[in-house]
Amino acid sequence: MKTLQFKNGDTMPAIGLGTWKSKEGEVYRAVMEALRIGYRHIDCAAIYGNEAEIGQAFKDAMESGIVKREDLWVTSKLWNNAHRREQVVPALQKTLQDLSLDYLDLYIIHWPVALREGVGFPSSAEDFLSLDEVPLSETWEGMEQCVDQGLARHIGVSNFSMEKLSNLLETARIHPEMNQVEMHPYLQQNVLLNYCKNVNIHITAYSPLGSSDRPVHLVKSDDPVLLQDATIASIAEKHSCTPAQVLLSWGVIRGTSVIPKSVSPERLRQNLEAVAVELDEDDMAQIAELDRHFRYVNGSTWAREGAYYTTTAQLWDE
Ligand code: A2P
């Protein structure tokens, strides 16, 4: 498996398993199967509501000798309602308890958005906290405590623009090592990718397959369907592989990690095997043409009148 290298010598497998939208009752089997066939990178988050079930899979897989803790890379994410400095370590402790682990490989701030304690998703502007009141630099101090206490080996962020990363770098004592963002041929984000390379921040690409099972409020009838793209289909045919494998191989070739979600044994295997698909320069040039800056996860949940961000353009700094 190709890996992303970290300064302290740690390596993150380039293809991981995404668990967003993997339902309780399904995710245990998916994670067990993934570990059994060789996945060694699992991407989790407290807000997905399935960490306890994933933890059971980790426990069973380790007890039965399928995987050793030190061979596994586990990422999880701090939810928006625990952004105050003193809330971060307790939030991670809860995640660790759910995941049956005593440390994470990577802990990241899920969104540059702060919600009041106890709020899962906002129902009104009142549910938000201003980032002037709880700045991301304060949340980052809580993240640094996670490293100080040995609860996380690496820390990072998710859904951060270049501007937000650059602000964070000004105050960070511990360097952020990851930005997890939506990334696929319709949202290539070359400028962000290059910026991150220059400042030694890795990228994990979420929704690498176009997230066709995203929640209905994020679906519009005229949204393009990445897995049905004609160019991707023709490249898949040329390599005798599937469109999903082309999309994942593209992400790996660009030096990012990709975290396709699946609960199907056949697709889990297919996605892991994408690492063997070798796209050539012509394929990459054709895929470069597909960029249309289209977000499947557009951030609209976090922008509204009276909240810290009133538009998604402010959230993404675009
Ligand atoms: P399933 O879980 O039934 O396999 P993303 O990772 O971009 O969020 O996409 C996840 C969606 O893509 C899920 O609906 C998942 O369905 C589906 N999916 C995962 N792997 C493949 C694949 N190899 N081919 C087609 N669809 C896939």
Side-chain angles (χ1 to χ4, degrees):
M1 174 54 69
K2 289 186 182 151
T3 56
L4 274 57
Q5 307 287 325
F6 286 75
K7 223 173 136 191
N8 72 345
D10 287 354
T11 54
M12 174 198 223
I15 297 185
L17 175 67
T19 61
W20 177 40
K21 310 172 260 83
S22 292
K23 297 185 194 66
E24 282 191 277
E26 279 180 345
V27 75
Y28 174 87
R29 260 182 301 143
V31 172
M32 279 303 260
E33 176 64 8
L35 294 173
R36 198 184 64 76
I37 65 174
Y39 281 80
R40 291 294 177 263
H41 166 186
I42 313 288
D43 183 84
C44 313
I47 194 63
Y48 301 162
N50 54 13
E51 287 193 325
E53 193 171 320
I54 294 172
Q56 191 60 49
F58 287 160
K59 196 162 178 273
D60 291 351
M62 285 183 219
E63 278 173 14
S64 56
I66 292 172
V67 66
K68 293 204 225 60
R69 176 64 188 96
E70 60 268 32
D71 296 332
L72 188 58
W73 180 285
V74 182
T75 299
S76 185
K77 314 186 187 88
L78 174 76
W79 190 235
N80 307 348
N81 60 9
H83 267 218
R84 291 189 192 274
R85 188 187 293 102
E86 66 279 8
Q87 291 178 309
V88 180
V89 165
L92 173 52
Q93 284 167 332
K94 166 76 170 95
T95 270
L96 288 171
Q97 188 189 348
D98 284 347
L99 290 173
S100 294
L101 299 176
D102 49 20
Y103 71 92
L104 285 183
D105 298 278
L106 174 65
Y107 197 42
I108 59 185
I109 299 177
H110 207 146
W111 286 92
V113 171
L115 296 173
R116 286 185 193 285
E117 191 170 1
V119 175
F121 285 93
S123 47
S124 76
E126 307 297 302
D127 288 335
F128 289 85
L129 291 172
S130 162
L131 291 193
D132 298 325
E133 198 186 327
V134 189
L136 293 166
S137 56
E138 172 182 330
T139 309
W140 191 251
E141 288 172 25
M143 299 293 284
E144 291 171 332
Q145 291 172 4
C146 297
V147 176
D148 294 340
Q149 296 182 25
L151 302 175
R153 287 181 64 85
H154 303 271
I155 49 177
V157 297
S158 180
N159 296 299
F160 270 46
S161 64
M162 275 187 296
E163 194 171 322
K164 290 185 176 65
L165 283 173
S166 147
N167 288 338
L168 182 61
L169 291 179
E170 281 179 22
T171 61
R173 171 171 62 88
I174 299 180
H175 191 72
E177 292 184 282
M178 181 62 70
N179 189 18
Q180 182 177 128
V181 294
E182 178 177 344
M183 197 175 270
H184 45 67
Y186 291 166
L187 184 68
Q188 302 192 12
Q189 310 214 64
N190 293 326
V191 177
L192 178 67
L193 184 67
N194 283 329
Y195 171 80
C196 286
K197 265 191 196 138
N198 287 334
V199 295
N200 293 317
I201 297 176
H202 285 301
I203 286 200
T204 298
Y206 76 68
S207 299
L209 304 178
S211 201
S212 44
D213 57 349
R214 66 196 179 282
V216 281
H217 71 271
L218 294 178
V219 181
K220 288 188 268 12
S221 57
D222 57 350
D223 285 349
V225 182
L226 185 58
L227 276 167
Q228 288 171 13
D229 184 276
T231 302
I232 300 294
S234 77
I235 295 172
E237 201 176 329
K238 170 177 152 189
H239 291 275
S240 305
C241 70
T242 67
Q245 289 178 317
V246 171
L247 295 170
L248 298 175
S249 170
W250 176 83
V252 173
I253 290 171
R254 292 192 350 141
T256 68
S257 164
V258 292
I259 45 167
K261 171 265 177 186
S262 183
V263 292
S264 136
E266 200 286 314
R267 290 192 285 267
L268 283 169
R269 179 172 297 282
Q270 196 189 109
N271 295 346
L272 190 63
E273 287 173 357
V275 77
V277 173
E278 289 182 16
L279 302 181
D280 59 33
E281 268 176 38
D282 182 49
D283 303 326
M284 292 303 278
Q286 282 188 56
I287 298 175
E289 295 294 315
L290 300 179
D291 196 9
R292 53 180 88 174
H293 204 70
F294 179 81
R295 293 182 190 278
Y296 290 103
V297 180
N298 62 19
S300 54
T301 312
W302 313 119
R304 68 181 71 198
E305 204 54 53
Y308 181 75
Y309 303 112
T310 53
T311 65
T312 52
Q314 292 167 347
L315 169 70
W316 303 117
D317 294 309
E318 290 174 342

